[in-house]
Structures are given as structure tokens and as C-alpha cells.
Amino acid sequence: MGQIVTELSKEIILEMKQYYQNALTSTPQGAVFRAKTSSAVITSYKSGKVLFQGKSPEVEADKWVNNKTQPSLIKTKTNKKHTYSPEPTIFSNSHIGSDEAGTGDYFGPITAGAVYVEKEQINLLKDLGIRDSKNLTDPIIKDLSKEIVKLNIPYSLVILHNEKYNRLQRKGWSQGKMKAMLHHAAINHLRKKIGKEAFYEGILIDQFCEPGVYINYLKSENRVLQEKTYFMTKAESYSIAVAAGSIVARTSFVKEIEKLSNEFGIELPKGASNKVDQVIAKIIKTKGENALDSLAKVHFANTKKAIKYLN
């Protein structure tokens, strides 16, 4: 019996809770969640401390912490700088930005968009209204995406469809790892598209996990972080390229949801609300539970909740 205690950011803890949804047990007082796997019991506390305890605690701890033999303390604050924080000059110069969409939605894929914006195009895109897609309606997002295409702004889009998402999740991939690989692929495709001659101040990723965790995700699949890559939380509020990436990714996600809705003859709601649970129950009743594999992220707690509607 061993144990590892570390401290993780709120973002990682929320991701962990989602990842361990099917393994959650009763939550002790002062904790965010407790989960039990074949390797360890994981308890996350409101203070940010996480306890991995059991016969092989390192198996679970290695998925979330930076150092695989002696986990380092990880704290994330929006305004805290780290080794991979960008210099402010990146926002007013040519750079690449990437963001993703669909991670918190039960139905539909995860999409990642990377966009290359030249210095001379920044003000134009701002004037068009390019900003964080979370603050825009879907119709406006679609229109802005068309403007990005019209202006020949180089971009790359990668889609992780539900069937593959569910296969990877069953193999033990966390959603964080999936997102890291999507960002990595989108950025690589974009770099090939713009060519080696294109100048950019750097590559900025909207940060969803600690840089060290992201790098370890890449290492686990024999990938290497691209040079001049930086991470920043809420990057879409500062970088026009990341904001454009969020719009490209969101537009694709919305289109994919609409396509799936048409194929299955039922309107698939976004998010993970009670309305989603009711639609899941209807799908299971009319088409069978296996139909969800091509529509949804089936490990979300919504699946179990929906089944209760049928009992």
C-alpha cells in the first residue's frame, strides 16, 4: 500500500472528475470527488490537494502530474507566469493560435482549430468582431468563420469523431490527452500549410492543463512540443489568433452536431444538461444504447442518468 500526495490546479481537478466519472464513490467531507480504480483510490480536496492511495498509486498519479517519479506541486492561476508563458509582444505580432470546442458537450465530437494571423491582419480581424467564441452566438460564429475563409487566413481543423473518442477513452486516454494530441496535429498541419518561410513570433495554445502535463501527453505518443510554443489560460481574450482558432473549432463543432442530428432524425442538444439526459433516453429507447457510440461521449455521467429515465 502506497500513497502520493500532490497539489493540482482547479482545471486539472475538474478534468479528473470527468475522467473518473464511471469510478466515482461517495465523496468525503471537504473533498471535490473520490474515485476508485484497480490501481488506487483518488481523493481530490477543495484545497487543491489530491491523494492517490493504493497498491499502485503511481499508475493514476502519472496521468496528471509532471514528474513521473516524484510528482511536483502544480498550481495554476490565471495571472501566474511559468516557463511557457508568452511575452506580451506576441499579441501584436504574427503568431499561431489554437483552441478547441466540444469538450464539455455530451453529443458531438471534439474539434481543434489552429490559425495563423500575420501582424498586418490583426486590426482587420478585430474590426470584424473576432473574439472568444464563448461570448458569441452560433450564427455569428458561423458568419465570422466565413470571413476568416474569405480573407484567406491560413487555418487547420482537426475533428475527433465520437467513435474514435470512445475507443481512446476505453484505452485509458484522458480527455486532456486527446485535446493535447488534437492541438498538436492542428498546429503541425497549419505549419505545413504556411511553409517554413512564414515568420511567426510563437505558437500560443489556450491552456487547459499544465505545460508539463501537455508535454508528457505528447511524449507518451512519441511526439515533441513544437519550438516557440507557449501556453496561457483565457488566451482567446488576448490573442486574435487563438480567438480565431476558437471560432473555427466552434463552427466545425456546430456543423457536426447539425449533421448528426439530421442523420439520426433527432435534434441533439449541446452541453450536458437534464435536457440532454432526456434525449439520450429517447435514443436508447428507439435505436438502442449502441447507437450512442457514434453520437456521444458515452463515459459522461449523462449516460447513467438517462438510463434511470427508462427504469
Side-chain angles (χ1 to χ4, degrees):
M1 178 76 72
Q3 71 175 36
I4 295 173
V5 181
T6 188
E7 193 166 338
L8 300 173
S9 69
K10 182 191 290 186
E11 290 85 357
I12 293 178
I13 288 172
L14 290 175
E15 184 185 334
M16 290 175 72
K17 186 176 181 180
Q18 187 180 79
Y19 177 76
Y20 291 116
Q21 279 190 44
N22 293 335
L24 294 178
T25 62
S26 57
T27 304
Q29 187 174 3
V32 178
F33 74 87
R34 173 173 281 173
K36 185 176 182 180
T37 71
S38 58
S39 304
V41 174
I42 306 99
T43 308
S44 168
Y45 295 94
K46 293 177 181 177
S47 64
K49 289 185 178 180
V50 180
L51 171 65
F52 299 88
Q53 190 174 31
K55 61 179 182 180
S56 302
E58 68 281 354
V59 172
E60 299 300 333
D62 282 357
K63 297 175 181 177
W64 308 104
V65 296
N66 195 1
N67 188 311
K68 289 197 172 186
T69 57
Q70 203 171 23
S72 58
L73 298 182
I74 302 174
K75 290 183 180 180
T76 298
K77 293 183 180 178
T78 301
N79 60 356
K80 184 176 179 180
K81 297 198 74 173
H82 48 62
T83 307
Y84 294 93
S85 294
E87 292 297 327
T89 54
I90 194 173
F91 308 127
S92 56
N93 283 290
S94 303
H95 65 288
I96 290 172
S98 70
D99 203 353
E100 82 286 332
T103 57
D105 296 87
Y106 179 80
F107 290 114
I110 295 179
T111 57
V115 177
Y116 170 58
V117 177
E118 295 182 359
K119 179 179 180 179
E120 296 74 19
Q121 298 168 322
I122 292 175
N123 287 333
L124 173 60
L125 292 177
K126 285 181 178 178
D127 290 342
L128 286 172
I130 300 293
R131 59 185 188 276
D132 179 17
S133 66
K134 298 181 191 69
N135 299 321
L136 301 169
T137 63
D138 286 341
I140 291 176
I141 289 168
K142 284 183 177 181
D143 289 340
L144 290 174
S145 188
K146 290 176 184 176
E147 293 298 326
I148 291 172
V149 174
K150 283 181 185 176
L151 291 170
N152 291 319
I153 304 292
Y155 73 91
S156 174
L157 177 69
V158 180
I159 303 173
L160 178 60
H161 292 286
N162 294 102
E163 295 95 334
K164 187 171 183 180
Y165 177 100
N166 292 320
R167 286 201 303 271
L168 292 173
Q169 195 276 328
R170 292 178 191 120
K171 283 175 62 176
W173 282 42
S174 68
Q175 194 181 85
K177 180 175 179 177
M178 295 182 209
K179 289 194 285 187
M181 301 311 297
L182 287 172
H183 278 270
H184 187 73
I187 291 166
N188 272 348
H189 292 164
L190 179 58
R191 291 173 71 209
K192 289 178 182 177
K193 184 181 286 189
I194 63 178
K196 295 180 180 179
E197 304 303 316
F199 167 79
Y200 51 86
E201 186 89 359
I203 301 166
L204 184 58
I205 296 172
D206 187 39
Q207 183 175 326
F208 54 87
C209 69
E210 292 294 328
V213 174
Y214 182 100
I215 291 168
N216 278 338
Y217 286 146
L218 298 186
K219 284 180 180 178
S220 69
E221 298 301 315
N222 299 313
R223 303 290 191 274
V224 179
L225 186 70
Q226 296 96 340
E227 291 183 7
K228 298 196 295 185
T229 295
Y230 305 100
F231 300 84
M232 183 181 185
T233 56
K234 302 187 185 300
E236 67 282 357
S237 299
Y238 300 89
S239 161
I240 199 71
V242 175
S246 76
I247 286 171
V248 168
R250 180 67 183 181
T251 299
S252 174
F253 170 76
V254 171
K255 287 182 177 178
E256 290 296 321
I257 279 279
E258 290 172 351
K259 188 190 300 181
L260 289 170
S261 296
N262 290 332
E263 287 177 4
F264 282 80
I266 185 170
E267 185 177 350
L268 302 176
K270 303 179 187 74
S273 64
N274 288 336
K275 183 180 178 181
V276 170
D277 301 339
Q278 293 167 21
V279 173
I280 299 167
K282 185 175 180 180
I283 291 171
I284 293 174
K285 188 175 181 179
T286 58
K287 301 181 183 296
E289 190 173 344
N290 289 338
L292 294 173
D293 202 53
S294 59
L295 291 171
K297 304 170 185 74
V298 295
H299 69 100
F300 277 30
N302 299 80
T303 305
K304 287 184 177 179
K305 290 179 185 176
I307 291 173
K308 291 180 181 179
Y309 282 107
L310 301 173
N311 296 331

